[in-house]
Amino acid sequence: MVKHESEKSRFVIEQDGKESVLDYVVSGNTVNFTHTYVPFRLRGKGLAEELGSAGLTWAKDESLDITASCSYVKKFL
């Protein structure tokens, strides 16, 4: 389950005691997704895609313009 930690500007999935994260920065009416990280042991389970999907859905719901300096999120734009 993806948790939005708006105070830390990130989306998080906690699994097996580890955190997978999608970081972002909001400036004006634009969100920039800056970094996605999934611990090595958890890779290949679709967690980065879940994070990206949650982040993009949130940005659209908030009517934010979307950019991505994160190469993973860029694939979905």
Side-chain angles (χ1 to χ4, degrees), residues 24-44:
Y24 66 87
V25 174
V26 175
S27 178
N29 196 44
T30 301
V31 61
N32 178 18
F33 292 101
T34 58
H35 181 251
T36 304
Y37 174 75
V38 175
F40 186 77
R41 291 183 347 174
L42 299 176
R43 292 180 186 174

Side-chain angles (χ1 to χ4, degrees), residues 10-27:
R10 68 184 196 157
F11 291 85
V12 180
I13 297 173
E14 293 181 27
Q15 191 174 50
D16 298 335
K18 305 285 184 190
E19 289 186 337
S20 300
V21 298
L22 170 61
D23 296 312
Y24 66 87
V25 174
V26 175
S27 178

